[in-house]
Amino acid sequence: GENVEQHPSTLSVQEGDSAVIKCTYSDSASNYFPWYKQELGKGPQLIIDIRSNVGEKKDQRIAVTLNKTAKHFSLHITETQPEDSAVYFCAPRGADGLTFGKGTHLIIQP
Amino acid sequence: GAGVSQSPSNKVTEKGKDVELRCDPISGHTALYWYRQSLGQGLEFLIYFQGNSAPDKSGLPSDRFSAERTGGSVSTLTIQRTQQEDSAVYLCASSPAAGYGYTFGSGTRLTVV
């Protein structure tokens, strides 16, 4: 099965600064790379995803970059705001479907 | 409906009792998944339904756990003889195709006392 590692487990940044979360995976056949955001008391919500034929995708303040050779992809959040505080999960799609990372708790300091 | 609906949102049960958790997926979504999330932890895969195929039960932690999906739509997760370690949030998700674009419900918080 797919082995997924997500770093860091906790990330604290000043409001307005950028945040980067990295996800490494093991299955070279993985072809779809989503990121989910989970706020307190809610289910995870898909915020951005990328397919294996693309290296980068942006949506306003968030972006995802993919390095298939090194088998990792990253979530970038610029100009962080208080509402970005949440737990973020990567979930690469391998042969067994999506495998979720253990999550990164992002804390935005005022 | 507009999203994935789960009921109840909260359930407190006594150790040894059986519980049933319900999931209403997005209409037309052929794939349905159940996950378990313990406090402050990641998502633990439980079971996956795809259309009329036999479900992938590889994540069910014991034979006390079972799930069914009737008519390719609503799913019920049943936990028999509940134990305190079953306390967690149970999340359901559906997707239009296997492994893409999951939409999660808000979960059922199960507390076994």
Side-chain angles (χ1 to χ4, degrees):
Chain A
E2 176 99 87
N3 289 320
V4 177
E5 292 191 6
Q6 200 176 321
H7 296 282
S9 56
T10 303
L11 177 61
S12 182
V13 301
Q14 290 292 126
E15 183 178 346
D17 287 352
S18 296
V20 181
I21 304 169
K22 185 175 178 179
C23 182
T24 61
Y25 60 94
S26 61
D27 186 350
S28 57
S30 293
N31 60 2
Y32 171 67
F33 308 91
W35 284 95
Y36 286 81
K37 174 184 181 182
Q38 186 175 28
E39 296 174 301
L40 202 60
K42 297 183 180 180
Q45 179 183 11
L46 177 67
I47 56 171
I48 195 165
D49 56 11
I50 195 170
R51 307 258 173 168
S52 58
N53 58 344
V54 177
E56 182 176 3
K57 182 177 177 181
K58 286 184 180 179
D59 183 3
Q60 299 183 345
R61 295 188 298 108
I62 61 172
V64 54
T65 58
L66 171 65
N67 184 328
K68 281 217 75 180
T69 304
K71 289 189 280 188
H72 66 73
F73 62 112
S74 297
L75 175 69
H76 305 255
I77 305 174
T78 59
E79 300 172 23
T80 51
Q81 300 172 4
E83 56 264 35
D84 296 329
S85 292
V87 179
Y88 292 81
F89 294 95
C90 65
R93 182 183 190 273
D96 297 329
L98 297 190
T99 300
F100 284 82
K102 294 189 184 302
T104 295
H105 187 191
L106 177 62
I107 301 165
I108 307 301
Q109 304 273 11
Chain B
V4 176
S5 178
Q6 291 188 246
S7 59
S9 54
N10 282 284
K11 176 72 176 178
V12 180
T13 190
E14 291 181 351
K15 179 181 172 181
K17 300 279 190 184
D18 297 352
V19 294
E20 284 190 353
L21 312 181
R22 178 186 168 104
C23 173
D24 272 288
I26 291 175
S27 178
H29 279 194
T30 58
L32 186 147
Y33 316 81
W34 283 97
Y35 288 85
R36 179 168 69 174
Q37 188 173 34
S38 299
L39 188 62
Q41 301 298 307
L43 282 73
E44 176 189 3
F45 167 75
L46 297 177
I47 188 168
Y48 157 55
F49 296 89
Q50 173 60 51
N52 295 321
S53 303
D56 175 359
K57 303 179 182 180
S58 59
L60 294 179
S62 78
D63 59 8
R64 296 186 296 105
F65 288 72
S66 63
E68 62 177 21
R69 187 179 185 191
T70 54
S73 181
V74 171
S75 178
T76 303
L77 177 69
T78 301
I79 309 173
Q80 295 179 310
R81 305 181 302 282
T82 51
Q83 305 294 314
Q84 287 188 327
E85 59 263 29
D86 299 334
S87 295
V89 175
Y90 289 81
L91 290 161
C92 174
S94 69
S95 68
Y100 295 96
Y102 288 19
T103 300
F104 281 87
S106 294
T108 293
R109 180 175 298 279
L110 176 66
T111 304
V112 182
V113 298

